Amino acid sequence: MPQRHALRSLWSTVLMGLVTALLPALVQAHPHGWVDLGVRVIIDEQGQVEALHQRWRMDPFYSLVILEELGSAQGNDSLDARLDQLGLDIRNNLAPQHYYTEVTHAGERLALGEVNDYTVMERDGRVEFIFLLPLAQPVALGEEALRYQIFDPSYYIELLHEEEGDTPRADALVVSGDHDCTTQIVPADPDPELVMQAAMLDVTDQAEPGLGRYFAETGVVKCGS
């Protein structure tokens, strides 16, 4: 997916709004990082989709900034305790924005529930935010596919399914349990003018509302025949 790598080289960002209290000076900077996604679609015993379990791996540079900031913060709290607080801050900041996630089925956007199960950890030098995003009501897919997009509307953050080489990792999109389901990650195909518009944004510029949607991948899950 050459478009993906071109966009990633153009864009990286401080995760706007996620650590406002920690890095107030950096929050105003334009794209300087990215997030690698992993999604597990949770299906219950009745074959209904009930949640999206998401893993967000922050890029190495931004992870380093966060870990250094947490390590140098005043007080006697352990790093684990500070990561727990960061997880709460991230959850609270993402909640009004629906966790940057849109889920649709049969052409209808599905309502989402509240995130109560989440954690932040450091693994291999990367900070990971892991959370369970439930649907407001479980949905039986029938013959229609479930589709989702995860994106920052302002395109300050680039969120893409994690890759190995030029293809998504095997665990970038999976389905829980023993269900007859197929998965697909559809790459974004933005208009070249939008790519140019995004590339020309300066650190002081504000992107057009909704710009991030055009650069979002689409996860597709279809179950049964």
Side-chain angles (χ1 to χ4, degrees):
M1 284 183 269
Q3 178 93 57
R4 173 193 180 111
H5 294 294
L7 292 174
R8 176 149 291 181
S9 66
L10 287 171
W11 291 115
S12 47
T13 186
V14 175
L15 300 183
M16 183 180 180
L18 303 190
V19 288
T20 304
L22 293 175
L23 302 171
L26 292 179
V27 168
Q28 299 304 318
H30 220 67
H32 290 295
W34 68 87
V35 170
D36 287 320
L37 297 173
V39 177
R40 179 181 296 273
V41 178
I42 308 298
I43 298 182
D44 65 19
E45 294 180 354
Q46 288 72 46
Q48 300 179 109
V49 176
E50 59 180 7
L52 270 61
H53 187 268
Q54 300 188 33
R55 180 188 71 250
W56 293 18
R57 297 184 71 218
M58 302 178 192
D59 73 86
F61 172 76
Y62 189 62
S63 295
L64 177 63
V65 171
I66 291 175
L67 293 172
E68 288 185 347
E69 192 74 18
L70 291 177
S72 63
Q74 294 183 351
N76 298 319
D77 291 340
S78 67
L79 178 60
D80 285 343
R82 292 173 180 180
L83 287 171
D84 287 344
Q85 181 59 49
L86 176 61
L88 177 62
D89 293 341
I90 292 174
R91 193 282 304 268
N92 290 345
N93 281 308
L94 286 178
Q97 304 180 70
H98 308 290
Y99 307 96
Y100 287 172
T101 303
E102 290 187 4
V103 185
T104 60
H105 178 248
E108 297 291 331
R109 184 171 174 178
L110 302 180
L112 304 175
E114 292 298 321
V115 168
N116 295 308
D117 184 358
Y118 60 90
T119 189
V120 172
M121 65 178 64
E122 180 273 329
R123 181 158 44 196
D124 298 328
R126 303 277 295 272
V127 173
E128 298 187 8
F129 176 52
I130 301 168
F131 63 103
L132 184 68
L133 176 58
L135 302 181
Q137 297 291 334
V139 60
L141 298 189
E143 297 183 356
E144 297 287 344
L146 182 88
R147 290 178 167 81
Y148 69 81
Q149 291 185 314
I150 303 170
F151 62 94
D152 170 13
S154 70
Y155 201 43
Y156 268 69
I157 306 171
E158 184 186 54
L159 300 101
L160 297 172
H161 293 83
E162 189 158 11
E163 288 188 335
E164 282 184 351
D166 293 333
T167 59
R169 282 175 37 153
D171 62 350
L173 171 55
V174 296
V175 175
S176 69
D178 184 18
H179 299 281
D180 180 21
C181 300
T182 60
T183 64
Q184 182 184 10
I185 298 172
V186 181
D189 186 22
D191 186 285
E193 290 188 5
L194 284 173
V195 176
M196 184 62 67
Q197 175 186 335
M200 293 176 64
L201 286 172
D202 192 81
V203 294
T204 59
D205 291 336
Q206 179 67 42
E208 290 293 329
L211 179 63
R213 180 187 303 278
Y214 299 101
F215 296 90
E217 295 172 327
T218 302
V220 183
V221 176
K222 188 172 179 59
C223 300
S225 58

